[in-house]
Amino acid sequence: MATTHKRTRTGCWTCREAGYKCDEQKPFCQRCTRLKITCKGYGVRLKWQDHTVGTVVKKPRASRKKKVFDNTCSSIPASVISDESTSSSFTSTPTTLQSPMSVFSVPRTPVHSTGLGPDFSASDRRLLHYWVEQLSSLISVAPRNGRPTPFQLHLTSMVYDSTALRSTVLSMAAHHLALQTSDPSLRFQAYRHQRDAIHLLQDLIQDPRQAHSESALATVLMMQVSARLFGEDDEANVVNHLMGAKAMIARRGADDWLGPSSARFLLSLFAYHDILSSISRGHRPLFDHGADFKAIEGVEDMRSIAKVLLIVARTSQLQHAIKIGREGGREPALTEEEDATGRDLQQKLLAMQFDAQRNEPHNNLDISLTAEAYRHAAFIYLYRTWLGVGAPNPISIEHIQNCLAYISRVDVTSPLTSSHVWPLFTAGCEVIDNTQRQFVRDRFQAMYASKLFPSWNRVMRDIEDVWAAKDEEERMKGQDGMAKVDCIQVILRRRGREVDLA
């Protein structure tokens, strides 16, 4: 009798698509490694996909030992598929909950009431108060200057009007409070609100009047922020909601988002995460940012950092073009156009000079110092992309030292440190001096102690992985080999996921 391969439902996506049994080795299974094929990772494959009216979404099967959710959500009218995946199994014990922030991973169940009426519990009121008064400020990278943060200014009214967005921020508040207290119920509350947010967003984006509203986009973007900040498990891929946000913006038209200040804030938040995610994905940004991105969080004082990030976006586009050319069988040498682009970006970065004088007003000084740290990190990223080199090559060493020096001058309690993850990662990965490496460790530890965002600990572990790879390459091939180690590629190969740079 002929035998057939049984399709595996818990293995890597490469084996699942081929119908082969997977050994589920992490980060890559042995079959993919042996055959030298791309291992697409594990867990739920997220999809933002159009469904016709009346389509019935089948409930996922559940085994006795664990429940694996692989739902496809009825979404915005655009066939956009995310290349991200995440683990979605959990136990019933609140202290061991592991639940992804995804609109695709939770089966339909009754939604917990999150209205502000009599059913709004005391614990939920506490979480909402904590979000408004504390967490929304910790998340924002903009200086206070005695004013509400952009998250408080633009999202507060939406939180009271949108149950999906409110459930999202309540989940974030419960996650963050759980890190400060010994109350095990907070983790359960975080998951409950997270689940409710998913269901409410499903309903929201099926309503033609609300599918591309500011509150819908705000909900998706805050899910992205939450996944970035509170991702902690090394084996869990961070959920990427940027594909859904992109489709919402594109469907309505980017120009329509340039009117109200709240819409501009959301566009700037999307651009910030999209550009930084392009670095960690090794891919060009999802959007061609320009007119839609003038300042971080829409704050005029933060224009200098946005200016650098637009150069970073072009560097990611250059990286993508080089990658596609080489995958197509082209010689390693750059084309004239690619080389010219690299030189143009270098000249633009050289022409940027941000005042970072100690006699500046405190908040303005922190912005200038951060902008300079970003500029030097952009040089490091450009030279890695354009010339394929890093430390100990002298062309990178000076920018590494300058980047870390500017970061060190910003007090760790400053709001700007929430934006320091990317420059600290970029310079930190290239560091070869033990004293500088210890500074990077101490800085991440101090940042975490100040704001308690778990993903920052994971970024530091990623940097340690890069250091180990660079040191090993130096032992085998000397400093020339060490200089060629690409930090992002080390993490993609070893962990099978992005680095949380935003």
Side-chain angles (χ1 to χ4, degrees):
M1 179 184 297
T3 59
T4 58
H5 293 291
K6 182 177 290 186
R7 183 179 297 276
T8 175
R9 295 186 181 276
T10 59
C12 78
W13 277 99
T14 305
C15 290
R16 292 171 73 172
E17 289 172 351
Y20 284 92
K21 182 175 178 58
C22 180
D23 58 28
E24 301 187 34
Q25 293 280 337
K26 304 291 177 65
F28 307 118
C29 76
Q30 291 184 357
R31 176 177 175 268
C32 292
T33 302
R34 175 172 53 82
L35 297 177
K36 296 181 179 180
I37 58 179
T38 300
C39 188
K40 298 179 181 178
Y42 301 85
V44 177
R45 175 170 291 177
L46 307 184
K47 296 182 179 179
W48 288 87
Q49 181 172 308
D50 188 19
H51 286 273
T52 57
V53 177
T55 299
V56 177
V57 180
K58 295 183 179 180
K59 293 183 177 180
R61 297 180 180 179
S63 68
R64 293 181 179 180
K65 293 185 178 180
K66 67 178 181 178
K67 299 176 182 178
V68 180
F69 303 118
D70 193 13
N71 294 355
T72 301
C73 169
S74 295
S75 182
I76 45 184
S79 297
V80 183
I81 301 178
S82 170
D83 57 0
E84 298 300 314
S85 61
T86 184
S87 172
S88 61
S89 61
F90 65 91
T91 67
S92 59
T93 306
T95 56
T96 59
L97 283 175
Q98 295 180 357
S99 53
M101 181 66 102
S102 165
V103 295
F104 315 96
S105 56
V106 179
R108 300 291 294 183
T109 56
V111 177
H112 172 75
S113 173
T114 55
L116 293 179
D119 293 333
F120 198 61
S121 67
S123 62
D124 287 352
R125 291 181 185 276
R126 174 197 178 200
L127 294 177
L128 184 58
H129 181 268
Y130 182 73
W131 157 261
V132 173
E133 298 297 328
Q134 299 291 331
L135 188 54
S136 57
S137 293
L138 293 176
I139 289 172
S140 176
V141 305
R144 306 295 178 261
N145 294 327
R147 301 189 300 266
T149 70
F151 284 87
Q152 291 171 323
L153 181 65
H154 299 296
L155 293 188
T156 299
S157 60
M158 291 188 212
V159 164
Y160 283 96
D161 293 336
S162 170
T163 54
L165 179 58
R166 183 160 65 249
S167 290
T168 303
V169 302
L170 290 179
S171 173
M172 296 172 69
H175 270 300
H176 200 252
L177 272 174
L179 296 168
Q180 304 178 54
T181 70
S182 57
D183 183 357
S185 70
L186 285 167
R187 290 182 66 94
F188 179 77
Q189 291 182 57
Y191 170 67
R192 174 169 56 82
H193 286 301
Q194 184 174 308
R195 177 204 64 193
D196 291 349
I198 293 166
H199 298 160
L200 290 163
L201 179 60
Q202 288 175 339
D203 293 336
L204 188 64
I205 59 184
Q206 290 181 63
D207 182 345
R209 298 168 300 176
Q210 298 294 326
H212 315 111
S213 64
E214 289 183 22
S215 60
L217 179 60
T219 301
V220 173
L221 288 175
M222 291 311 297
M223 286 181 173
Q224 171 75 10
V225 173
S226 180
R228 287 297 185 195
L229 292 179
F230 297 106
E232 191 169 17
D233 184 357
D234 265 343
E235 294 186 358
N237 290 334
V238 174
V239 179
N240 192 327
H241 295 280
L242 295 176
M243 294 291 283
K246 170 198 171 182
M248 286 182 174
I249 294 169
R251 193 70 179 180
R252 176 168 153 179
D255 289 345
D256 285 351
W257 293 93
L258 296 175
S261 60
S262 55
R264 294 198 305 273
F265 162 72
L266 294 174
L267 270 190
S268 70
L269 188 63
F270 170 68
Y272 177 74
H273 281 266
D274 184 24
I275 293 171
L276 292 181
S277 179
S278 74
I279 302 169
S280 58
R281 286 184 292 115
H283 201 276
R284 64 189 174 190
L286 301 176
F287 241 56
D288 184 12
H289 300 285
D292 62 326
F293 188 43
K294 296 296 186 183
I296 301 292
E297 295 183 8
V299 177
E300 287 296 309
D301 291 345
M302 304 282 281
R303 293 174 69 94
S304 56
I305 303 173
K307 186 177 179 181
V308 178
L309 280 175
L310 289 175
I311 299 296
V312 172
R314 288 190 58 195
T315 304
S316 290
Q317 291 171 344
L318 174 62
Q319 182 186 54
H320 179 74
I322 294 172
K323 178 182 177 181
I324 293 300
R326 289 174 179 170
E327 286 179 351
R330 197 190 71 198
E331 292 296 322
L334 300 180
T335 65
E336 290 185 9
E337 181 180 0
E338 290 165 352
D339 187 56
T341 299
R343 293 182 184 280
D344 179 58
L345 295 176
Q346 180 189 42
Q347 290 303 311
K348 281 181 167 54
L349 288 172
L350 287 169
M352 292 180 185
Q353 293 293 332
F354 307 110
D355 261 341
Q357 303 302 318
R358 296 185 184 274
N359 59 356
E360 286 187 82
H362 179 68
N363 287 328
N364 289 345
L365 177 60
D366 284 353
I367 294 172
S368 298
L369 293 170
T370 299
E372 281 292 348
Y374 265 68
R375 187 171 74 95
H376 288 287
F379 272 116
I380 298 168
Y381 180 43
L382 174 62
Y383 292 145
R384 171 66 63 192
T385 297
W386 174 35
L387 304 176
V389 299
N393 192 301
I395 198 172
S396 298
I397 287 291
E398 181 179 358
H399 295 296
I400 294 166
Q401 294 172 338
N402 286 333
C403 181
L404 297 180
Y406 282 115
I407 288 174
S408 71
R409 291 173 56 188
V410 180
D411 190 279
V412 75
T413 61
S414 168
L416 272 298
T417 57
S418 291
S419 68
H420 286 183
V421 177
W422 173 64
L424 190 55
F425 171 85
T426 299
C429 282
E430 297 289 354
V431 163
I432 57 177
D433 176 79
N434 286 332
T435 301
Q436 289 181 326
R437 285 185 176 182
Q438 191 58 48
F439 167 77
V440 175
R441 291 189 188 97
D442 293 343
R443 188 69 179 189
F444 267 112
Q445 184 178 7
M447 287 167 56
Y448 175 77
S450 175
K451 298 187 179 178
L452 295 180
F453 293 143
S455 64
W456 292 355
N457 289 332
R458 182 164 69 175
V459 174
M460 186 60 239
R461 292 195 295 269
D462 290 344
I463 294 174
E464 296 277 3
D465 280 350
V466 173
W467 289 342
K470 290 180 78 74
D471 292 346
E472 178 64 22
E473 198 69 21
E474 182 185 30
R475 285 191 291 270
M476 295 175 60
K477 300 179 182 179
Q479 290 194 340
D480 287 344
M482 188 184 200
K484 294 179 180 178
V485 174
D486 187 312
C487 310
I488 294 296
Q489 292 304 314
V490 168
I491 305 306
L492 288 174
R493 287 195 300 267
R494 290 196 176 195
R495 301 293 186 183
R497 59 163 171 77
E498 296 181 33
V499 185
D500 304 324
L501 298 179

